[in-house]
């Protein structure tokens, strides 16, 4: 849905760029169509603030009629009075009012996302077309940028779901173009520069050192095919960590006429990061819509005023990742798996033929191992229930409690809507029990960290199409204490079950 931009005409003391068609400092957001990249609707202040000569001219020597003449009263005369204001004064008042008013008219969808965290009409979401990154962005990035100093691509990745949020589809075409184009352009002067930004670092356990996280992020980016990066930054837009340093680096990398493109998966934190840029730079830019709903940003947005001089920043729609567990869930279930506070480990010591359920969404069986026990640490939202039991009882537990005690999903009926429940075999090895040796990450949900001294064969159960990644451990330490077998329920779930049991008991007593 288009948002119209209004811009006042510069006066004689302000510099106007005739070539670019815009002022040097902007504080607006434009929605850019594929064929038209700059649309401005000018407001002509001269027309809007002309004096009304009929109201100001003299009455040819005759005074206005007084009280008592016909139906004229003092109230009528008071209403007829007009305060005479000069044209310059009207302009000044209008400009001050415009500066004070930072709100803009938004569509019903953005209003619902901002205020209620959900779209107004769920059924219309399926009508929104998918975003074609290769057609709309990748080809533009590889074209010569004319007078622009440089093109910078900021890849935003969620720290707590690095592999699931890494923009693989966009990165693949972009990386291939970069590798193929470096020989064609002398000194790669016009090729885009890549900056990896890992957001939401405040949600990771505090024992992770920035040095280790930086090295780990570079290694994961390389595993996904990233060529040489111009920079890696670890930030938290909510806690204002590293934002200023990142903005300074990107501004210098882009130059006074550069283009900065912010790309990433849905809900990786792109819009939140740009809003933090604007706030840090003291820019009164219109606030971008932020929400945990997938696909909040639908079109390419040009952000003015954040970068210096003629440099431009673009916010792109989040890339769709159908292999995320969160994409299968409804809004209430998404709230349960969202990580909003610093992650806390929940560690089990298990032996062969034991299994761990993570809600009704994932299960990890230890089939066999060269050692007697291994340590399994679950890194997921504290609102997701856990269960440790035996493999021979796992199917019965899942069939009986998935959607009830094992949440999410919420409700037994939701299981059939999430996909086919299937397993995949994973073989791991480690050299120490003191630290974690390997991670098994489920996109859009969380990950297991395994600590063992030897080899083990595991079976990981989840729904078909969910991406599972085996990687080096993000966090080396496990929890200081071990969880016991049985159910580990969040308070909200245990309270709901207790309330339901009391209700059923009351009904039975009433029947008796």
């Amino acid at each position: 849905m288009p948002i119209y931009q209004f811009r006042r005409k510069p006066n004689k003391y302000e510099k106007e760029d005739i070539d670019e068609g815009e002022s040097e400092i902007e504080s607006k957001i434009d929605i850019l169509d594929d064929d038209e990249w700059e649309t401005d609707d000018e407001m002509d202040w001269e027309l809007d603030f002309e004096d009304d000569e009929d109201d100001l001219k003299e009455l040819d020597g005759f005074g206005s009629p007084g009280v008592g003449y016909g139906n004229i009263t003092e109230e009528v005369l008071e209403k007829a009075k007009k305060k005479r204001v000069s044209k310059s004064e009207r302009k000044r008042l209008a400009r001050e009012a415009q500066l004070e008013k930072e709100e803009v008219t938004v569509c019903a969808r953005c209003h619902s996302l901002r205020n209620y965290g959900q779209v107004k009409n769920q059924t219309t979401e399926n009508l929104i077309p998918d975003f074609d990154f290769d057609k709309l962005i990748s080809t533009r990035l590889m074209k010569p940028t004319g007078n622009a100093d440089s093109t910078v691509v900021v890849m935003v990745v969620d720290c707590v779901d690095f592999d699931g949020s890494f923009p693989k589809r966009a990165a693949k075409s972009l990386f291939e173009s970069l590798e193929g184009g470096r020989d064609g352009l002398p000194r790669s002067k016009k090729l885009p520069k890549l900056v990896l930004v890992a957001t939401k670092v405040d949600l990771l356990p505090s024992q992770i050192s920035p040095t280790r996280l930086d090295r780990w992020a570079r290694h994961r980016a390389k595993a996904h095919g990233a060529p040489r990066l111009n920079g890696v930054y670890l930030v938290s837009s909510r806690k204002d960590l590293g934002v200023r340093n990142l903005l300074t680096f990107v501004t210098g990398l882009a130059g006074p006429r550069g283009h900065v493109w912010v790309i990433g998966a849905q809900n990786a934190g792109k819009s939140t990061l740009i809003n933090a840029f604007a706030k840090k730079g003291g820019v009164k830019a219109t606030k971008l819509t932020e929400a945990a709903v997938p696909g909040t940003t639908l079109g390419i947005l040009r952000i003015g005023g954040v970068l210096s001089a003629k440099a431009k920043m673009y916010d792109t729609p989040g890339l769709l990742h159908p292999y995320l567990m969160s994409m299968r869930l409804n809004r209430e279930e998404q709230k349960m798996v969202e990580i909003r506070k610093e992650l806390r480990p929940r560690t089990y010591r298990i032996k062969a033929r034991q299994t761990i359920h993570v809600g009704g969404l994932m299960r990890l069986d230890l089939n066999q191992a060269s050692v007697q026990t291994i340590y399994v640490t679950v890194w997921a939202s504290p609102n997701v229930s856990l269960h440790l039991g035996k493999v021979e009882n796992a199917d019965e537990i899942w069939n009986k409690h998935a959607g009830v005690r094992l949440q999410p999903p919420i409700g037994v009926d939701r299981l059939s809507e999430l996909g086919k429940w299937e397993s995949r075999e994973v073989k791991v090895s480690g050299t120490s029990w003191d630290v974690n040796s390997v991670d098994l990450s489920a996109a859009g949900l969380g990950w297991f960290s395994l600590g063992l001294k030897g080899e083990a064969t595991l079976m990981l159960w989840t729904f078909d199409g969910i991406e599972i990644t085996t990687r080096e451990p993000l966090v080396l330490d496990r929890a200081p204490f071990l969880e016991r077998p049985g159910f580990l329920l969040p308070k909200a779930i245990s309270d709901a079950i207790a309330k339901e049991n009391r209700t059923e008991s009351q009904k039975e007593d009433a029947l008796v």
Side-chain angles (χ1 to χ4, degrees), residues 469-489:
T469 303
T470 303
R471 66 190 190 190
E472 64 176 300
L474 172 59
V475 188
L476 295 178
D477 303 326
R478 56 177 178 263
F481 56 87
L482 300 178
E483 303 293 346
R484 297 178 179 179
F487 285 97
L488 180 58
L489 303 181

Side-chain angles (χ1 to χ4, degrees), residues 50-211:
E50 290 294 339
D51 291 332
D52 190 345
E53 297 181 358
D54 293 336
D55 293 334
L56 299 179
K57 69 181 181 179
E58 296 295 334
L59 298 177
D60 298 329
F62 294 92
S64 58
V67 177
Y69 184 87
N71 295 324
I72 296 179
T73 63
E74 292 183 357
E75 184 179 358
V76 172
L77 291 178
E78 189 67 25
K79 290 182 178 179
K81 290 181 180 179
K82 286 187 177 181
K83 183 178 179 180
R84 298 185 61 180
V85 181
S86 64
K87 183 192 297 184
S88 60
E89 182 68 11
R90 291 187 182 185
K91 289 182 179 181
R92 185 185 65 81
L93 294 174
R95 290 169 185 169
E96 290 179 355
Q98 185 69 19
L99 289 176
E100 292 176 357
K101 185 178 180 182
E102 297 182 3
E103 297 290 334
V104 296
T105 301
V106 298
C107 66
R109 183 178 187 273
C110 288
H111 178 80
S112 297
L113 287 170
R114 291 183 180 182
N115 295 281
Y116 306 107
Q118 61 184 6
V119 294
K120 186 174 183 179
N121 190 343
Q122 296 281 353
T123 58
T124 59
E125 289 297 288
N126 296 328
L127 302 178
I128 298 175
D130 190 14
F131 179 68
D132 191 339
F133 181 88
D134 290 340
K135 177 181 178 182
L136 297 178
I137 296 181
S138 183
T139 54
R140 287 190 174 96
L141 292 178
M142 300 310 299
K143 289 181 179 178
T145 53
N147 294 327
D149 292 341
S150 181
T151 298
V152 180
V153 178
V154 177
M155 295 187 299
V156 180
V157 180
D158 185 349
C159 271
V160 295
D161 189 19
F162 193 98
D163 295 278
S165 64
F166 194 88
K168 300 178 182 64
R169 189 180 67 185
K172 181 180 179 181
S173 59
L174 180 60
F175 295 165
E176 290 177 353
S177 300
L178 286 175
E179 292 296 337
R182 293 190 185 279
D183 298 333
L185 293 175
R187 300 184 302 277
S188 305
K189 185 176 181 180
K190 292 297 184 180
L191 288 175
K193 300 174 182 178
L194 300 179
V195 178
L196 178 66
V197 179
T199 62
K200 307 179 185 180
V201 294
D202 58 303
L203 301 180
L204 292 177
S206 56
Q207 63 260 38
I208 304 179
S209 67
T211 302

Side-chain angles (χ1 to χ4, degrees), residues 180-348:
R182 293 190 185 279
D183 298 333
L185 293 175
R187 300 184 302 277
S188 305
K189 185 176 181 180
K190 292 297 184 180
L191 288 175
K193 300 174 182 178
L194 300 179
V195 178
L196 178 66
V197 179
T199 62
K200 307 179 185 180
V201 294
D202 58 303
L203 301 180
L204 292 177
S206 56
Q207 63 260 38
I208 304 179
S209 67
T211 302
R212 171 174 172 76
L213 181 56
D214 179 274
R215 183 172 63 250
W216 185 88
R218 291 177 184 272
H219 185 271
R220 294 311 305 156
K222 184 177 181 181
H224 290 296
R228 179 178 176 274
L229 299 170
N230 293 88
V232 175
Y233 279 80
L234 313 172
V235 305
S236 170
S237 303
R238 301 294 188 187
K239 299 290 185 179
D240 192 21
L241 301 175
V243 176
R244 183 180 295 277
N245 291 339
L246 172 60
L247 180 59
T248 301
F249 179 78
V250 171
T251 301
L253 204 61
R257 288 181 174 270
H259 293 171
V260 177
W261 294 80
V262 185
I263 68 173
Q266 294 178 349
N267 300 332
K270 298 183 287 74
S271 297
T272 306
L273 178 64
I274 293 176
N275 284 333
F277 280 162
K279 182 179 180 181
K280 186 61 62 177
V283 178
K284 290 186 177 181
T286 304
K287 182 179 178 63
L288 294 178
T289 301
E290 304 170 23
V293 177
T296 300
T297 303
L298 299 181
I300 301 174
L301 304 179
R302 185 185 57 170
I303 315 299
V306 175
L307 302 176
S308 60
K310 301 295 183 182
K312 297 181 180 65
M313 179 174 287
Y314 300 98
D315 182 20
T316 61
L319 300 173
L320 178 65
H321 288 179
Y323 46 78
L324 293 175
M325 178 69 77
S326 55
M327 295 293 293
R328 308 278 182 97
L329 307 179
N330 59 37
R331 185 64 196 119
E332 292 302 315
E333 295 164 349
Q334 287 175 352
K335 290 179 180 179
M336 297 182 69
V337 302
E338 285 173 13
I339 299 173
R340 304 179 183 179
K341 297 181 180 180
E342 180 181 330
L343 275 172
R344 301 293 182 184
R346 290 178 283 182
T347 302
Y348 295 90

Side-chain angles (χ1 to χ4, degrees), residues 455-475:
E455 298 179 347
T457 302
L458 304 104
M459 193 71 70
L460 194 148
W461 295 78
T462 188
F463 297 102
D464 62 312
I466 302 301
E467 183 183 72
I468 302 298
T469 303
T470 303
R471 66 190 190 190
E472 64 176 300
L474 172 59
V475 188

